[in-house]
């Protein structure tokens, strides 16, 4: 990540968020003491409420950034299978495995819900949304690399826009969360989501 | 909607929600007086906070139910084009029009965001989630009728599960909201979403 932010951009919200991340990484969410976070950030409860609504809002924003930082750091391993694919079928199988993991793994499920809550939270806080959107864009750009690479190797349809597909796919994976209560069986969702995700990737006949 | 709920099921949360809906429909969100809503529901601020977290939580839950009631009432008109289709291409065009409306129309955009916030809100309140999930299930069942009908008329792939497709599609439409900040141009999202939604509907060759 670039460190070329201006002092103005390294705002109060960012200072509070960074301090919260440090504390959560050291002590966990339960062990995070809000007064120590604010002391580290040289900030106040009022500022915290202004920028994040509540302790819960700050915790979710921090979890989101932790999650995305982790995801970006780990992206190589999650994308490995896609970069390693040597045939169209291998690439499509890689997509199936990723979708299945995202839809079925309890850790991924909890992360999706956290991201949904952070996003809903950010929707009424423009500054937080700006930060969430920036992180999301990094994620989509990293992910789009695997599609671009597969296109250059002739494995998938070269006429789709890799970034737009990655952005759509990002939404698709998060969308599973909406129907977990009404359709708990992930396989039913995957039976639609996998062929839909595959359809655009198949090279044109 | 069925009125066969038991007195137990017509809980405090439901009484507060119904009163809030009445008031919002009469006076709008700005004109809704929380103390009058609670008086109508014979309930307290404590109960309201317990069930909905805050006035904002109650307003969003009420908006969601108003929206879904409206949607169910209007469903015939939104589904008309699908029921009227006489060829596969007409049905696919109907799907394109619906996706375009949902992704581009400012009213639909605001409704999607409201639903996302209500859902995030409900994720930590099991009773509210139960109500949200029930409404969502009605919506998916109504929507699945148009796919089932098109299957029976031989217009679309008969081997897909109409309910599962409708549930997936419901998630897909809501998922557009996640990338509005990073990819504001709805056409870029539609360029992926439309062919993906179409792919499963095409009759098997």
């Amino acid at each position: 990540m670039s460190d070329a932010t201006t002092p103005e951009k390294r705002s109060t919200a960012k200072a509070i968020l960074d301090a919260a991340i440090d504390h959560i990484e050291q002590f966990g969410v339960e062990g995070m003491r809000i007064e120590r976070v604010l002391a580290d950030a040289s900030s106040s409860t009022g500022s915290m409420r202004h920028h994040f609504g509540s302790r819960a809002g700050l915790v979710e924003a921090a979890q989101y950034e932790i999650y995305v930082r982790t995801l970006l750091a780990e992206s190589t391993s999650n994308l490995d299978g896609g970069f390693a694919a040597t045939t169209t079928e291998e690439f499509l199988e890689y997509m199936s495995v990723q979708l299945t993991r995202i839809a079925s793994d309890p850790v991924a499920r909890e992360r999706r819900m956290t991201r949904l809550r952070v996003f809903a939270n950010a929707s009424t806080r423009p500054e937080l949304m700006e930060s969430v959107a920036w992180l999301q864009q990094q994620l989509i750009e990293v992910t789009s690399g695997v599609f671009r690479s597969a296109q250059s190797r002739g494995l998938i349809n070269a006429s789709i826009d890799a970034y737009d597909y990655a952005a759509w796919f990002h939404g698709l994976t998060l969308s599973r969360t909406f129907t977990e209560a009404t359709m708990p069986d992930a396989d039913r969702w995957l039976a639609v989501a996998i062929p839909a995700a595959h359809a655009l990737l198949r090279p044109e006949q």
Side-chain angles (χ1 to χ4, degrees), chain A:
Chain A
M1 274 178 233
S2 164
D3 219 351
T5 43
T6 64
E8 289 76 13
K9 283 251 178 174
R10 294 191 62 81
S11 61
T12 307
K14 180 100 170 60
I16 297 172
L17 188 62
D18 285 345
I21 290 168
D22 283 351
H23 282 249
I24 290 172
E25 286 182 336
Q26 276 188 67
F27 310 112
V29 170
E30 297 309 311
M32 184 194 99
R33 305 293 295 272
I34 191 72
E35 59 275 21
R36 297 198 187 158
V37 168
L38 295 175
D40 277 9
S42 309
S43 193
S44 67
T45 304
S47 282
M48 187 271 285
R49 287 196 193 281
H50 173 71
H51 290 293
F52 300 99
S54 62
R55 181 188 191 280
L58 172 60
V59 165
E60 287 186 355
Q63 285 180 308
Y64 180 77
E65 186 145 341
I66 289 169
Y67 167 40
V68 178
R69 285 181 185 182
T70 311
L71 201 77
L72 291 176
E74 276 178 4
S75 60
T76 314
S77 66
N78 270 339
L79 300 176
D80 274 354
F83 285 115
T86 57
T87 65
T88 298
E89 287 312 313
E90 277 178 23
F91 193 85
L92 297 182
E93 176 59 18
Y94 157 74
M95 292 295 290
S96 304
V97 169
Q98 290 301 312
L99 271 167
T100 304
R101 178 183 64 76
I102 292 162
S104 315
D105 175 30
V107 174
R109 183 170 183 271
E110 192 48 50
R111 282 175 178 166
R112 277 191 278 108
M113 188 52 98
T114 300
R115 287 157 77 183
L116 194 148
R117 282 197 285 257
V118 172
F119 193 88
N121 210 359
S123 71
T124 53
R125 300 190 179 86
E127 192 169 333
L128 182 56
M129 181 57 95
E130 201 180 318
S131 146
V132 165
W134 184 87
L135 289 164
Q136 188 183 65
Q137 195 167 354
Q138 307 309 304
L139 171 64
I140 294 170
E141 274 171 13
V142 168
T143 311
S144 68
V146 80
F147 300 114
R148 211 166 279 121
S149 162
Q151 287 178 316
S152 73
R153 287 174 290 138
L155 304 183
I156 61 170
N157 189 344
S159 73
I160 62 168
D161 184 292
Y163 183 92
D164 294 356
Y165 182 86
W168 173 82
F169 185 77
H170 172 71
L172 177 69
T173 58
L174 291 177
S175 80
R176 168 55 186 149
T177 305
F178 292 118
T179 51
E180 274 171 346
T182 44
M183 198 168 73
D185 182 357
D187 286 342
R188 290 173 61 185
W189 183 80
L190 287 166
V192 184
I194 289 175
H198 281 181
L200 273 84
L201 300 179
R202 289 187 197 283
E204 286 172 333
Q205 306 289 306

